[in-house]
Amino acid sequence: MKKLLTALALFALPILASAQIENPVKWSFTAKKVNATTYEVHATATIDAGWHVYAQEAGEGPVPTAFKFTKNPLAVTTGKVEEVGKLHKSFDKNFNSELKYYENTVNFVQKVTVKGKAATKVKGSVEYMVCDDHQCLPPKEVEFAVSVGGK
């Protein structure tokens, strides 16, 4: 019986360890109407204390935050994704590079022009990497869909 319990405990350890993988970034996606045909799509990252998310132009080493938008004939992205937040710059000895990143919260804003009056969705994904002073988690990709247009 002891051997059986020991074996079960050993098999359960990897499962319990994988259940504790951290997710220190929460994303929210919204759209704000600017005028009759223009919207701002906001991707807001709320970052747990002690962690940081890299800017789109992060520096050499880490995976920068990157957005991909699915082609949509009714909604066209205009310009680049803007970053709104307190940008930090510091030398990171792990990457041997000066890096740009955000702590606490950052808002990524993409302008979108809607064609016609029909409601549609802006879809895409954001890839990002999060680190603290001791470790980096593997890059993650989060998909999103935001409604724009219509009445």
Side-chain angles (χ1 to χ4, degrees):
M1 189 66 172
K2 272 188 174 178
K3 286 182 181 179
L4 177 63
L5 288 174
T6 303
L8 285 173
L10 289 174
F11 285 115
L13 278 175
I15 294 168
L16 293 172
S18 67
Q20 293 184 8
I21 292 175
E22 295 187 68
N23 186 17
V25 180
K26 308 290 183 275
W27 288 91
S28 64
F29 302 94
T30 58
K32 178 182 173 187
K33 189 173 187 173
V34 176
N35 62 39
T37 60
T38 306
Y39 287 79
E40 290 177 345
V41 173
H42 292 258
T44 304
T46 303
I47 307 153
D48 288 353
W51 293 89
H52 54 266
V53 168
Y54 291 99
Q56 294 174 93
E57 310 232 347
E60 294 297 316
V63 174
T65 300
F67 287 85
K68 292 181 204 160
F69 290 90
T70 306
K71 289 192 183 222
N72 179 342
L74 297 176
V76 180
T77 58
T78 53
K80 293 182 177 183
V81 177
E82 295 178 28
E83 300 172 358
V84 180
K86 184 177 180 192
L87 182 65
H88 296 269
K89 294 180 190 177
S90 69
F91 184 81
D92 187 314
K93 63 182 186 287
N94 296 314
F95 290 110
N96 197 29
S97 177
E98 182 173 88
L99 301 179
K100 298 175 186 172
Y101 58 91
Y102 294 93
E103 296 176 335
N104 302 319
T105 187
V106 58
N107 190 12
F108 296 92
V109 183
Q110 174 66 60
K111 286 200 170 142
V112 176
T113 303
V114 178
K115 297 178 180 179
K117 298 188 187 285
T120 188
K121 288 190 180 285
V122 174
K123 296 179 182 180
S125 63
V126 56
E127 182 183 28
Y128 67 98
M129 185 169 155
V130 61
C131 298
D132 67 9
D133 292 342
H134 306 292
Q135 66 180 331
C136 291
L137 300 181
K140 281 191 171 189
E141 190 168 2
V142 175
E143 294 185 355
F144 61 87
V146 179
S147 296
V148 294
K151 292 183 179 180

